[in-house]
Amino acid sequence: MSGFNKVVTSYEEALAGFTDNMTVMVGGFGLCGIPEGLIEQVNKLGSTGLTAISNNAGVDGFGLGKWLEKRQISTMIGSYVGENELFEKLLLSGEMEVILTPQGTLAEKIRAGGAGIPAFFTATGYGTDVANGKETREIDGRHYVLEPSLTADFALVKAWKADTMGNLIFRKTAMNFNPMMATAGKITVAEVEEIVEPGELDPNYIHTPGIYVQRVIKGQFEKRIEQRTVKPSHQES
Amino acid sequence: MSGFNKVVTSYEEALAGFTDNMTVMVGGFGLCGIPEGLIEQVNKLGSTGLTAISNNAGVDGFGLGKWLEKRQISTMIGSYVGENELFEKLLLSGEMEVILTPQGTLAEKIRAGGAGIPAFFTATGYGTDVANGKETREIDGRHYVLEPSLTADFALVKAWKADTMGNLIFRKTAMNFNPMMATAGKITVAEVEEIVEPGELDPNYIHTPGIYVQRVIKGQFEKRIEQRTVKPSHQES
Amino acid sequence: MALTRDQIAMRVAQELQDGYYVNLGIGIPTLVANYIPEGMEVMLQSENGLLGMGEFPTEETIDPDLINAGKQTVTAVTGAAYFSSAESFAMIRGGHVDLTVLGAFEVDQEGNIASWMIPGKLVKGMGGAMDLVAGAENIIVTMTHANKHGVSKILKKCTLPLTGAGCIKRVITELAFMEIKDGAFHLLERAPGVSVEEIQALTEADLVIPEHVPEMKV
Amino acid sequence: MALTRDQIAMRVAQELQDGYYVNLGIGIPTLVANYIPEGMEVMLQSENGLLGMGEFPTEETIDPDLINAGKQTVTAVTGAAYFSSAESFAMIRGGHVDLTVLGAFEVDQEGNIASWMIPGKLVKGMGGAMDLVAGAENIIVTMTHANKHGVSKILKKCTLPLTGAGCIKRVITELAFMEIKDGAFHLLERAPGVSVEEIQALTEADLVIPEHVPEMKV
C-alpha cells in the first residue's frame, strides 16, 4: 500500500475533482510563490464561477490574470488587486465581485479556517468600510470587528520542497500565504520545485506537516519578477 | 550600540522587573521543554501572588512544583495539573485557584494573545463546564464558545538555540507551548541550550523571530524524564 | 466471552484505513498501534507536537526532548514532523485528523461523553480531550460497558461532567460495538460468545437491536 | 522652506531608537531606511514575511523568492527571519513592531486616517495598511500638508473612506511635525523657514499652536 504517497505526475490528476463554482485558494504574494502550473491547469480546465481567494490577482497574462482573461472568477477575495487592466473592466462591468479584505485579516481568516476557528475578533478595519455589516465589540476599551474564517474546496499552494508524504518547506518570502492556505483546503495541492524521499526534510523544520496536503506535484517555475529593483554590482556597502 | 543584543549573563538580569502578583507564562509540556533555570530563579526571588499560565504544574520538587512549595502561585491556568501531591492540598485548602482550560484552547488563547486577537470562537468545551459563564453561539449549525485570549507580564520559554538577536529554534517535542508563549509576554525571556551569532541560524527555519524576545540566557538543563519508557535494546523492529 | 483490552484494540484497528492520520488516547487506545494491519500505513499524531510517533526508544536512543502526550519517551518515524501545541491543535480542531480513539467514563445516547472528571476525586484536568472530541469527525470511544458493580456506563444521559456534547458516534466495549444515532445506541456487533441479552442487561441507554447481531472478528 | 521628501524621511529617522523593529510603508516611508543614524541598529519588517529586510540586490544576487511588500526584489540582513503572512500580521496586530511609518491621503484630528481609496478611482485594495494602523502603538504618518490646489489634507474630519479610526498620533508633512491629542492637532515643529501662519493657512483641522514652535533640525 502507499497510504502516504501523495505524489501525482500530471496536472490532470493534481486537479481531479475541480469543478465550476468552487472556492479555491491560491498561494502567493504578487507573483512570488504562486503555483504557476496549477493556475495554468485551472485555466486550461476553463472552470467558471470560481470564488478565488488570493492576496493578489496576478498581472495581465500571468498568474490569476489568466483566469480573468477567461472570465473564470465570479468572486475575488484579496487584499490588493488590480495590477492588471482587465481587472478594472471586469469589476466595473459587474462581471466579477471583489471582496477586499485587509491583508492580515485575510491571512488570519485562512489560518482560522484551517484551524477550526469559525470566527475571531480583530481591531483591523474597525471604523472603516470593512466593518460594514459585521458585528463589532468593545473589549477592554478597544474596538474590534468579528471576522468569520475562510476555507476552500481546493487550496493550490506553492512550496520549495516536499517529501512524498506531503511535508512541505517554503523558501524565503515565497512562503507568504501558502502555509495557511495549505491548512484550509478540503483538497490541498502543493506544486513544488523538488520532491524528496521521506526523511530528507528535517522533521524539526517542516513548515507544513503532510497531514494538510492531499496531492503533491513537481512543477516548472518561471518565477516572474514584478518589481526588478537592483543596485549596481560594484556598490558593496 | 547593541540594539539587538539580547543576551544576559545572569538570572537576576534575566528576570529584572519580575514582581509579586504578576502573570507569568511558563513553557513546556510536563517537564519537557521547561525553562529550568528561570523557574528556579522565580523560586529564589520568592515572588508571590503569581498567576501562572502553563500546561502543567510540574512535579514535587521540580519545575513549577517548586513554586507550589513556596506558595508562590495564587492562580494556576493549565490543562492538566496535579502530578504532585502538594497541588491537591493547595487546591483543597483554597490557597490556590485553578482555571482548567482545554489544552488546544489554552494554546490558541496564548497564540491569540500574542497575535492581537482578543477573542475567538471554538467548539471545544461547548456543552461542558468549560463553557459556563461564557458566550456561546451557533455558526453554520455547530455550537461554539467564545474564548478570550491570554497575555502575560513575563513569558519564560525554553529554546534549543538562540542567536544573540533573540531568534529561536526549538527541538523536537520540547517546542510545545514555547513558541506561542514567546509571542504573548510583555517581556519574553528565553533560556536556551546554546547561543550563536546572528546568521548561524538559517533564516528560513527560525521558529520564533527575535522581535518577540527581549532577553536570552544560556541555561543548564537537567531535562528530567517523567515517564521513562523504553524497549529492550536488542529488539530491532 | 468479553473482549480483553488487547482484543478491543484489535477491533478498533479494523477501522483503520491506509493513509489515516490517527490520534490515540491513553490506555486501551494506545494499544491500537500494536494491531495496525500488515502493510497498512498509519501516522500517529501526538497532541504535544508530533506527527509520526514511533515506538518506544531503547536506552541508547532515549531523548528527553521527544515524548508523547502521555509524557512517555518515544521515537519519531521517517517522515515525521514536530510542531507547536497551537499547530497541533489546529490540526485537531480543524478536523484534519482522520480518526481519534479515546477512553471514557460514560457515554450517552445523545453522543455526550464524560471522560475527564469524577467529582470528589482530584481534578487533574482535561488535557487535550475536550479539543479532541470537539475537533474530530471520526471518533471511536473504547471503554468498559459497566463498572465493577455492574452499573452501566452506556447511558441515557451522562451523570459526570461532560468532556464534549453530541460528538460521539461509535463506542466499543468489552461486550459490544455500538453506533449512536437518532438518540439511541444501535448494536452493531457483539463480542464472541456474548449474547445480546447480556449486553442489553448492562446497557442503561436505549439500545436498538437488529434482528441479526454479528459477532466481532478479533 | 518646505521639506523635500528626503528631508521628511530624515526627520522621521530622528524618531528611531536603537533596537527598533520598524515597518516602513511605500513612498516617503521607504526613504527613512536611508537615514538611520550612524551606529544605530534597526530591523525592518516587511509584511509579506521578512524581518530584517536589507538593501536591493545586485543583478548577481537577485532572487525572485525574496521580495518586499512593495514586490521589489530585496535582500535580507544577517539575523533575518522569514515567516508566513499569518505570523507577519501576528507581529503587527499583536503590537510587536516598535514603529510604523506610512503615507496617507488625509488625517483628521480624531486620529482617523484615509490612505487607501479614492472613490471614482480604481480600488486596488488596502493591502496591509488597515492591519498596520490598527496594530501599531507607534505610528508616524508622512504626507503632504495640502493638495496641489492648496486644499488641506489635515482635517477636522476625513472625507475619504477610512483606513483606520482613532489610531494616528503623529504626522509629519513638508511643513510641520504635529501630534494629535484631545481632538486637535498640536504643532510640535515647523519646517525650517516655514512660518506658523503658513502652516495654519493650510490646516483645516483645529491646530493648537504653542507660544514657541521650534524649527525641525534636518
Side-chain angles (χ1 to χ4, degrees):
Chain A
M1 301 193 198
S2 60
F4 293 99
N5 186 348
K6 306 192 177 162
V7 177
V8 296
T9 52
S10 74
Y11 284 102
E12 288 75 20
E13 284 176 86
L15 286 174
F18 193 93
T19 64
D20 289 354
N21 304 314
M22 275 191 163
T23 296
V24 53
M25 291 179 179
V26 186
F29 183 91
L31 301 180
C32 179
I34 61 172
E36 298 182 15
L38 295 171
I39 292 171
E40 182 74 32
Q41 178 63 19
V42 169
N43 196 227
K44 267 195 201 154
L45 288 173
S47 317
T48 58
L50 300 176
T51 296
I53 302 171
S54 175
N55 190 57
N56 314 93
V59 298
D60 284 320
F62 198 67
L64 295 197
K66 294 199 151 192
W67 296 7
L68 297 174
E69 280 170 23
K70 264 201 179 166
R71 312 291 191 267
Q72 296 184 265
I73 302 176
S74 63
T75 304
M76 175 79 212
I77 300 175
S79 89
Y80 194 80
V81 292
E83 297 287 18
N84 50 53
E85 291 177 18
L86 182 55
F87 193 93
E88 184 169 3
K89 267 193 212 160
L90 296 176
L91 186 57
L92 296 177
S93 71
E95 287 181 80
M96 188 171 61
E97 184 193 8
V98 177
I99 301 173
L100 289 172
T101 306
Q103 196 173 131
T105 296
L106 181 62
E108 190 67 15
K109 282 162 82 88
I110 296 166
R111 181 197 172 274
I117 305 287
F120 58 90
F121 283 100
T122 176
T124 301
Y126 178 79
T128 77
D129 292 348
V130 162
N132 287 348
K134 291 179 185 154
E135 178 179 336
T136 60
R137 183 177 301 202
E138 189 175 339
I139 301 174
D140 293 335
R142 282 193 75 187
H143 295 276
Y144 297 93
V145 183
L146 184 66
E147 289 283 357
S149 64
L150 288 170
T151 57
D153 297 302
F154 271 79
L156 311 183
V157 305
K158 191 269 169 183
W160 182 24
K161 296 182 188 179
D163 66 20
T164 58
M165 301 172 85
N167 290 304
L168 305 181
I169 58 172
F170 304 93
R171 186 170 175 275
K172 301 188 177 179
T173 58
M175 179 185 288
N176 54 64
F177 281 83
N178 286 296
M180 295 84 74
M181 287 183 175
T183 71
K186 282 193 200 79
I187 296 178
T188 291
V189 190
E191 187 181 13
V192 307
E193 297 181 46
E194 190 183 346
I195 299 175
V196 301
E197 288 302 308
E200 288 189 45
L201 302 180
D202 187 332
N204 215 42
Y205 306 110
I206 302 291
H207 292 127
T208 296
I211 194 170
Y212 295 118
V213 178
Q214 280 67 49
R215 302 172 194 167
V216 173
I217 187 166
K218 186 175 179 316
Q220 297 294 332
F221 297 88
E222 177 184 335
K223 294 194 183 181
R224 198 181 288 190
I225 292 172
E226 275 182 273
Q227 302 285 336
R228 189 180 189 88
T229 46
V230 293
K231 63 169 189 177
S233 298
H234 61 269
Q235 185 187 325
E236 284 297 331
S237 79
Chain B
M1 301 193 199
S2 59
F4 293 99
N5 186 347
K6 304 189 179 165
V7 177
V8 297
T9 51
S10 74
Y11 285 101
E12 289 73 20
E13 283 175 87
L15 286 173
F18 193 92
T19 65
D20 290 353
N21 305 313
M22 275 191 163
T23 297
V24 54
M25 291 179 180
V26 186
F29 184 91
L31 301 180
C32 179
I34 61 172
E36 299 181 15
L38 294 171
I39 292 171
E40 183 72 33
Q41 178 64 17
V42 169
N43 196 229
K44 268 195 200 155
L45 288 173
S47 317
T48 58
L50 300 177
T51 295
I53 302 172
S54 175
N55 190 57
N56 315 93
V59 297
D60 283 321
F62 198 68
L64 295 198
K66 295 199 151 193
W67 295 8
L68 296 174
E69 279 169 24
K70 265 201 179 166
R71 312 292 190 266
Q72 296 184 266
I73 302 176
S74 64
T75 304
M76 175 78 212
I77 300 175
S79 88
Y80 195 80
V81 293
E83 298 285 18
N84 50 54
E85 291 176 17
L86 183 55
F87 193 92
E88 185 169 4
K89 269 192 213 161
L90 297 175
L91 186 57
L92 296 177
S93 70
E95 286 181 80
M96 187 172 61
E97 184 194 9
V98 177
I99 301 173
L100 289 173
T101 306
Q103 196 173 131
T105 297
L106 181 62
E108 190 67 15
K109 282 161 81 88
I110 296 166
R111 181 197 173 273
I117 305 287
F120 58 90
F121 283 100
T122 176
T124 301
Y126 178 79
T128 77
D129 292 349
V130 162
N132 287 349
K134 290 179 184 153
E135 176 178 337
T136 61
R137 182 178 300 202
E138 189 175 340
I139 301 174
D140 293 335
R142 283 193 76 187
H143 295 276
Y144 298 93
V145 183
L146 185 66
E147 290 283 357
S149 64
L150 289 169
T151 56
D153 297 303
F154 271 79
L156 310 183
V157 305
K158 189 269 169 184
W160 182 23
K161 295 182 188 179
D163 66 20
T164 58
M165 301 172 85
N167 290 305
L168 305 181
I169 59 172
F170 304 93
R171 185 170 176 274
K172 301 188 176 179
T173 58
M175 180 186 287
N176 54 65
F177 280 83
N178 287 296
M180 294 84 74
M181 288 183 174
T183 70
K186 281 193 200 78
I187 296 178
T188 290
V189 190
E191 187 180 13
V192 307
E193 297 182 46
E194 190 184 346
I195 299 175
V196 302
E197 288 302 308
E200 289 189 43
L201 302 180
D202 187 332
N204 216 43
Y205 306 109
I206 302 291
H207 292 128
T208 295
I211 193 170
Y212 295 118
V213 178
Q214 280 68 49
R215 301 171 194 166
V216 173
I217 187 166
K218 187 175 178 318
Q220 298 293 333
F221 297 88
E222 178 184 334
K223 293 195 182 179
R224 198 181 290 190
I225 291 174
E226 274 183 272
Q227 302 286 337
R228 188 179 190 88
T229 45
V230 293
K231 62 168 190 178
S233 298
H234 59 271
Q235 185 188 326
E236 282 297 330
S237 79
Chain C
M1 230 175 57
L3 300 183
T4 62
R5 287 162 53 90
D6 276 282
Q7 285 175 314
I8 293 176
M10 285 163 72
R11 180 61 193 85
V12 171
Q14 293 169 20
E15 300 298 309
L16 296 171
Q17 292 184 26
D18 194 35
Y20 258 20
Y21 295 96
V22 178
N23 185 294
L24 301 176
I26 292 169
I28 293 176
T30 301
L31 300 175
V32 174
N34 300 333
Y35 300 103
I36 296 167
E38 188 81 19
M40 185 182 282
E41 291 178 40
V42 165
M43 289 278 269
L44 301 180
Q45 204 256 16
S46 187
E47 65 263 29
N48 57 317
L50 168 58
L51 186 67
M53 179 167 59
E55 54 188 0
F56 293 142
T58 63
E59 281 292 348
E60 289 73 38
T61 61
I62 200 164
D63 183 344
D65 286 343
L66 179 43
I67 64 171
N68 66 15
K71 292 163 195 161
Q72 297 172 310
T73 47
V74 292
T75 57
V77 302
T78 300
Y82 302 108
F83 36 80
S84 73
S85 302
E87 182 66 48
S88 184
F89 284 94
M91 283 175 198
I92 291 166
R93 199 190 304 103
H96 302 280
V97 175
D98 295 301
L99 175 66
T100 292
V101 185
L102 43 84
F105 300 144
E106 296 175 348
V107 291
D108 72 27
Q109 62 200 34
E110 302 304 328
N112 299 322
I113 176 171
S115 65
W116 75 281
M117 184 191 181
I118 297 180
K121 287 204 183 179
L122 176 63
V123 182
K124 290 198 173 186
M126 66 294 283
M130 285 193 181
D131 307 281
L132 281 160
V133 298
E137 277 291 301
N138 190 7
I139 302 172
I140 298 178
V141 170
T142 64
M143 60 187 297
T144 52
H145 213 96
N147 71 14
K148 56 187 172 186
H149 306 295
V151 178
S152 180
K153 293 150 80 173
I154 307 297
L155 303 172
K156 285 189 166 63
K157 195 166 173 50
C158 287
T159 64
L160 296 170
L162 296 185
T163 307
C167 50
I168 303 302
K169 297 201 186 78
R170 294 190 291 171
V171 179
I172 298 184
T173 72
E174 77 283 16
L175 303 181
F177 182 14
M178 296 166 292
E179 188 181 6
I180 302 171
K181 62 177 179 189
D182 307 328
F185 284 84
H186 294 250
L187 187 55
L188 300 181
E189 299 174 14
R190 56 199 167 83
V194 171
S195 71
V196 167
E197 291 68 29
E198 288 175 80
I199 295 166
Q200 176 78 77
L202 287 171
T203 304
E204 190 253 358
D206 295 332
L207 184 66
V208 177
I209 301 166
E211 201 160 333
H212 175 67
V213 182
E215 283 192 354
M216 289 182 210
K217 289 180 180 53
V218 287
Chain D
M1 230 172 62
L3 300 183
T4 62
R5 287 161 55 90
D6 276 281
Q7 284 175 315
I8 293 176
M10 286 164 72
R11 180 61 193 85
V12 172
Q14 293 169 20
E15 300 298 307
L16 296 172
Q17 292 184 25
D18 194 33
Y20 257 21
Y21 295 95
V22 178
N23 184 294
L24 301 176
I26 293 169
I28 293 174
T30 300
L31 300 176
V32 173
N34 299 334
Y35 300 103
I36 297 167
E38 188 81 19
M40 184 181 285
E41 291 177 41
V42 165
M43 289 278 269
L44 301 179
Q45 203 256 16
S46 187
E47 65 263 30
N48 57 316
L50 167 60
L51 186 67
M53 179 167 58
E55 54 189 358
F56 293 143
T58 63
E59 281 292 348
E60 289 73 38
T61 61
I62 199 165
D63 182 344
D65 287 342
L66 181 41
I67 65 170
N68 65 15
K71 293 164 195 160
Q72 296 172 310
T73 47
V74 293
T75 57
V77 302
T78 300
Y82 302 108
F83 35 80
S84 73
S85 302
E87 181 67 48
S88 183
F89 284 94
M91 285 177 197
I92 290 167
R93 200 189 304 102
H96 302 280
V97 174
D98 296 300
L99 174 65
T100 291
V101 186
L102 43 83
F105 301 143
E106 297 175 347
V107 290
D108 72 27
Q109 62 200 33
E110 302 304 328
N112 299 322
I113 175 171
S115 65
W116 74 282
M117 184 190 179
I118 297 182
K121 286 203 183 179
L122 176 62
V123 182
K124 289 199 174 186
M126 67 293 283
M130 285 191 181
D131 307 281
L132 282 160
V133 298
E137 278 290 301
N138 190 6
I139 301 171
I140 299 179
V141 171
T142 64
M143 60 188 297
T144 52
H145 214 97
N147 72 13
K148 56 188 170 184
H149 306 297
V151 178
S152 180
K153 292 150 79 172
I154 307 298
L155 303 172
K156 285 189 166 61
K157 194 166 175 50
C158 287
T159 65
L160 297 170
L162 296 185
T163 308
C167 50
I168 303 303
K169 298 201 185 80
R170 294 190 290 170
V171 179
I172 298 184
T173 71
E174 78 281 17
L175 302 181
F177 182 14
M178 296 167 291
E179 188 182 6
I180 302 170
K181 63 177 178 187
D182 307 328
F185 284 84
H186 293 249
L187 188 55
L188 300 181
E189 299 174 13
R190 57 200 166 83
V194 171
S195 70
V196 166
E197 291 68 29
E198 288 175 78
I199 295 165
Q200 177 78 78
L202 286 171
T203 303
E204 189 255 357
D206 294 332
L207 184 65
V208 177
I209 301 165
E211 201 162 332
H212 175 66
V213 182
E215 282 192 356
M216 289 182 208
K217 289 182 180 52
V218 288

